[in-house]
Amino acid sequence: MVKISDPNSKLIAENRRARFDYHIESDLEAGIMLQGSEVKSLRKGGSNIGDSYASVEGGELWLINGYIAPYTQSNHWDSHDERRRRKLLVSKRELARLWNSTAREGMTIVPIKMYFNERGIVKIKLGVAKGKKLADKRETSAKRDWDRQKARIMKQNHRD
């Protein structure tokens, strides 16, 4: 049976640098509170979560420094601030676990990707992560290069 891709589900933004800079221990999906002009801008694809992070403050989870481009067709009083703090929606149990891991264990909450789910609702995938040292980053880069080289050799040997 051929799986038909859902026109509502779509990747909006991806933080590819997060996997390079952090050891991702676990991940979770969270909802995000947005204004109407922000959703319309995301449908056009104007977003960046590369420099953003999430923080537990006052019993709530916030996305800080996430960029959503202004929507050009909206009124000037209806438009949004591009880098405003946005509230993330998680259950109380997940919020307690996130607070515990950041406050006690020194972990960081980084956004991995932002997407529309199959119902057309904006979701953000968060990773609970620990920062990598420079040597770990070099090791990751060397492993990726070796895997690429190994695949090239296997492909060449397969042709012969």
Side-chain angles (χ1 to χ4, degrees), residues 26-31 56 59-61 88-102 109 123-124 126 128:
S26 64
D27 61 351
L28 67 123
E29 183 182 72
V56 179
E60 296 176 332
L61 186 63
L88 298 175
L89 308 171
V90 293
S91 68
K92 287 184 180 180
R93 180 181 295 153
E94 286 175 334
L95 185 64
R97 185 177 65 86
L98 290 172
W99 182 84
N100 187 26
S101 62
T102 55
I109 306 169
K123 297 289 183 176
I124 189 161
L126 300 171
V128 180

Side-chain angles (χ1 to χ4, degrees), residues 104-158:
R104 294 185 182 168
E105 300 169 19
M107 306 287 260
T108 305
I109 306 169
V110 292
I112 300 171
K113 62 177 143 179
M114 186 185 293
Y115 57 93
F116 287 105
N117 68 358
E118 60 278 349
R119 290 176 38 210
I121 298 171
V122 179
K123 297 289 183 176
I124 189 161
K125 185 175 183 181
L126 300 171
V128 180
K130 199 171 253 184
K132 284 186 183 178
K133 304 281 189 254
L134 183 61
D136 294 335
K137 291 180 188 179
R138 285 190 195 125
E139 182 180 315
T140 302
S141 181
K143 184 181 182 311
R144 184 177 53 236
D145 290 345
W146 169 242
D147 288 343
R148 200 176 292 139
Q149 187 178 5
K150 190 167 56 173
R152 197 177 300 129
I153 291 170
M154 293 295 286
K155 187 176 180 181
Q156 186 178 19
N157 286 341
H158 187 68

